[in-house]
Amino acid sequence: MTTKQTKNAATALRNAGKRLFGLLSVLLVFALTACSSQNRATSPKEIRRLAGSKQAEESRHKAEKHLRSIADAYGKKTPLTLALITVDDICSGGEAKQWFFQDGKDQYKIRCALRLTAYYGADPHRIGDVLDGIFTAGDHYSSDDAPGDTIPFNHDSYRRRLVGYYRGHGPNPTGPETQEPAQVFNPSQTLSWDTVRSSKRRLVQELSPCMESDPPVTRCLREPTQKTVADIREQYGMVFKLELPVTDYYKVSKKGEVLIN
């Protein structure tokens, strides 16, 4: 090997060593960063501590009380009879720092959310009057034609025709070849019901199995406990289902800041 070749080989080795050292330095930075408290996944112990904190309990109570007031309003202000309420409540911990394919779950220590669904009984022979009563209550909660957040379904053009259809005074408002309409929707609520005019009925489905309750991390309530959708249908003739969207009520960032309370 000539002197020049020796020098080139030595230079190549030094450059390779520098690249290796640089790579190891980057890996070390990543490792140290991943060890910081803000980038670790939340431990089960920490999730339980935060979920049981006074702030979380107060937020949980406030959120559930608000959702229950909406469910109660349908039972008090409309022809529907409130028969069953379900509450699914879960607090989940944040994940470790996501370097790739981020979905935001590494941005918080804990996120608590609950979902409330209410089931009502009604007389299938009076469904036109039942819907009219619901929309009349919605008129009451509306202001300047803007739907209220308690009962947002008022007498708009479509719903007037829906009432007429169920009273036998008009055609299917969704079209002559379409299925029997059995739902009204708003971004804040969905109200659906058993069909009563179709030869092939579509019914409100039974409850999903209850997840294991482990307060304050998870809760699953069925009130009354043993009541089923079939029980409501047998008692009243038909079932209405009110679905409220998942409500985030408590969230703490990795820095310890309360984002939702």
Side-chain angles (χ1 to χ4, degrees):
M1 179 180 291
T2 64
T3 302
K4 184 176 180 179
Q5 289 174 327
T6 302
K7 289 181 178 180
N8 289 341
T11 300
L13 286 173
R14 284 196 300 273
N15 290 338
K18 289 179 181 179
R19 288 194 296 271
L20 178 60
F21 179 77
L23 178 61
L24 291 174
S25 298
V26 171
L27 292 175
L28 179 62
V29 169
F30 270 81
L32 292 174
T33 302
C35 289
S36 69
S37 61
Q38 294 183 18
N39 292 295
R40 291 197 301 264
T42 314
S43 69
K45 183 178 180 180
E46 181 74 352
I47 293 172
R48 182 167 295 278
R49 183 186 71 81
L50 290 170
S53 67
K54 183 178 179 180
Q55 280 186 317
E57 291 288 355
E58 289 177 348
S59 296
R60 180 178 295 116
H61 176 73
K62 181 180 178 181
E64 187 171 332
K65 182 179 179 181
H66 172 66
L67 297 178
R68 284 180 179 272
S69 72
I70 295 174
D72 288 340
Y74 276 87
K76 294 175 180 178
K77 303 295 185 180
T78 79
L80 298 175
T81 301
L82 181 58
L84 173 64
I85 282 181
T86 72
V87 177
D88 296 289
D89 181 5
I90 184 168
C91 292
S92 56
E95 296 182 356
K97 181 66 178 178
Q98 298 170 310
W99 301 107
F100 309 102
F101 309 111
Q102 298 178 357
D103 60 11
K105 292 182 179 180
D106 61 347
Q107 299 299 307
Y108 56 83
K109 285 186 178 181
I110 190 173
R111 171 181 176 264
C112 296
L114 62 81
R115 179 196 294 274
L116 186 145
T117 306
Y119 296 82
Y120 305 82
D123 183 351
H125 304 293
R126 298 182 55 252
I127 186 171
D129 294 338
V130 171
L131 289 172
D132 189 46
I134 294 170
F135 304 151
T136 298
D139 293 338
H140 170 75
Y141 283 102
S142 298
S143 175
D144 299 325
D145 296 326
D149 66 348
T150 302
I151 300 179
F153 308 115
N154 53 19
H155 276 101
D156 64 7
S157 175
Y158 170 79
R159 294 177 198 131
R160 290 182 189 278
R161 289 183 286 122
L162 185 62
V163 171
Y165 164 74
Y166 273 112
R167 283 177 170 165
H169 299 162
N172 186 333
T174 60
E177 303 300 326
T178 59
Q179 291 183 324
E180 176 184 343
Q183 182 186 94
V184 286
F185 169 82
N186 178 279
S188 65
Q189 297 180 21
T190 301
L191 183 67
S192 54
W193 55 88
D194 294 340
T195 57
V196 297
R197 296 190 58 176
S198 305
S199 57
K200 186 176 181 180
R201 297 188 69 188
R202 287 176 288 123
L203 304 178
V204 171
Q205 294 183 346
E206 275 295 346
L207 309 181
S208 299
C210 213
M211 64 180 175
E212 182 179 356
S213 285
D214 183 22
V217 179
T218 59
R219 290 188 307 141
C220 183
L221 305 178
R222 302 289 185 260
E223 301 174 352
T225 305
Q226 301 299 326
K227 198 152 196 175
T228 67
V229 172
D231 292 337
I232 302 171
R233 188 173 295 115
E234 182 178 359
Q235 182 177 358
Y236 296 97
M238 69 177 299
V239 178
F240 275 72
K241 177 183 180 181
L242 175 66
E243 298 173 87
L244 303 177
V246 173
T247 299
D248 289 342
Y249 63 83
Y250 186 63
K251 191 173 183 180
V252 179
S253 74
K254 284 290 183 69
K255 295 180 180 180
E257 300 170 339
V258 178
L259 304 176
I260 299 176
N261 182 22

